Amino acid sequence: MRILEAVLISIVLLLFVYSTTTLTIRTPLSGHETTASRVLAWLLLKSDSIVYDESKLVLTIANITSASYVEINGKRYYIERSTYTYPIRAIWLGVNGTLSPRRVEIGVEP
Amino acid sequence: MLNRRGQFLLLGVLILAICLLTALATMRTPSPRVVVPHSWIYSAELVHAARLGIVRHTRVGGNLTEHIELFLRELYRIAEEEGLDLPPTSFNASATTDDLISSYRVIFNNSVEIIVQWRLKMGKIVLIGKGGGAVAYRVWLLEYYHVYRAPQWGEVRIYPIIWNPDGIAEVLSLSNGNWTILIPLGVDRAILEDEYGVRIEVKSDGV
């Protein structure tokens, strides 16, 4: 009987540890991150050229999302100071059928 | 050491705790961070790369698939440098011209699809007063749109702005991707361009 109790307690303890671990890792994206991802996706769909007008891109992103910064090819524009940000990246490959890549990164608070 | 009742009570508490945690976990949408979470961006990148390939094909001709592959190779190269783990993909591209309808279609193996299509219809001849005289124009009706499909957003239809870069033709917007193009009689062809760089050639006898 004691052995059965010990086995049952071990199984329950294992399930408990697994559930808490899974809850910790399997966290969904925050609303800010989801919004910023969709904004970048929409900008990629809507405009090939916006990334070549850096001020326009920064203003657009600042007005639509609650991003802390926008970085274009390594040049960072701060919108507001933040202690911790999560980076979301997209790549603009070019415009008018020519290759001219730009790396864009948005920093959003989780 | 707990007696039997205490042990069963402890077991019951643990089972209750697990049930509560499981219920909480199922209420939250699981999204493990070990998988690329920004699938919207990934699908949009594919549309962007395919569109650039289509633009290049309309401007320089050649092989549509090779043009798109050029941009996709660059996309994956930069993504690797940036530490973005983009899943590999394959695609099928086609360009068709049937009478006065032209269509580009690129479909990826993850159900991302881009369609660029235009339809031309020859209209009548009109006279427009200019510079003290009248100029005869052939009227063309153009229907032009892009369709971008992906599992993330379903279907998006875009009506890009069109203009005539060399200023020969008059381009008038109606609505929802419908345009009226006026080309002077005697002009063999006019080149139109959209805001992404796609070139549409209008010949005096059709496309």
Side-chain angles (χ1 to χ4, degrees), chain B residues 88-198:
Chain B
T89 185
S90 61
F91 67 93
N92 187 34
S94 62
T96 57
T97 300
D98 179 18
D99 200 11
L100 292 172
I101 299 174
S102 292
S103 176
Y104 285 86
R105 186 168 180 255
V106 182
I107 182 160
F108 293 87
N109 64 341
N110 56 359
S111 304
V112 172
E113 184 179 357
I114 166 173
I115 296 172
V116 174
Q117 185 161 306
W118 63 88
R119 187 196 311 255
L120 275 167
K121 188 177 169 188
M122 188 187 289
K124 49 194 175 183
I125 295 172
V126 295
L127 287 175
I128 296 179
K130 271 192 177 181
V135 180
Y137 288 85
R138 167 71 71 185
V139 177
W140 289 90
L141 299 174
L142 170 69
E143 185 191 358
Y144 179 70
Y145 57 86
H146 292 194
V147 175
Y148 308 140
R149 293 194 185 108
Q152 291 79 20
W153 60 73
E155 178 177 302
V156 165
R157 187 170 285 233
I158 287 180
Y159 304 112
I161 297 169
I162 299 223
W163 59 79
N164 172 229
D166 48 28
I168 294 173
E170 304 284 343
V171 181
L172 308 168
S173 170
L174 298 174
S175 66
N176 291 342
N178 291 294
W179 301 82
T180 299
I181 315 296
L182 303 174
I183 300 175
L185 280 184
V187 172
D188 291 334
R189 65 175 201 148
I191 302 291
L192 306 174
E193 199 170 296
D194 81 354
E195 60 187 88
Y196 301 103
V198 173

Side-chain angles (χ1 to χ4, degrees), chain A:
Chain A
M1 192 61 180
R2 285 206 177 271
I3 294 170
L4 181 63
E5 280 176 20
V7 167
L8 282 174
I9 289 170
S10 306
I11 290 171
V12 167
L13 195 61
L14 252 164
L15 287 171
F16 178 78
V17 169
Y18 172 75
S19 325
T20 48
T21 312
T22 306
L23 247 183
T24 313
I25 294 173
R26 285 178 157 255
T27 52
L29 290 176
S30 70
H32 290 172
E33 291 166 67
T34 306
T35 302
S37 289
R38 293 183 183 188
V39 163
L40 273 184
W42 175 245
L43 287 174
L44 268 168
L45 291 182
K46 195 69 183 73
S47 175
D48 288 342
S49 59
I50 192 171
V51 72
Y52 303 97
D53 184 345
E54 293 181 3
S55 55
K56 186 176 176 183
L57 178 65
V58 172
L59 267 172
T60 303
I61 291 171
N63 279 316
I64 302 174
T65 70
S66 49
S68 298
Y69 67 84
V70 179
E71 190 174 295
I72 304 166
N73 263 18
K75 191 176 173 187
R76 188 171 284 200
Y77 299 88
Y78 285 99
I79 298 166
E80 59 180 40
R81 290 288 170 184
S82 185
T83 49
Y84 177 74
T85 53
Y86 186 79
I88 297 170
R89 299 188 187 99
I91 301 164
W92 263 258
L93 294 167
V95 66
N96 285 339
T98 56
L99 204 54
S100 180
R102 289 285 189 278
R103 297 159 169 83
V104 175
E105 180 179 304
I106 299 179
V108 290
E109 288 184 344

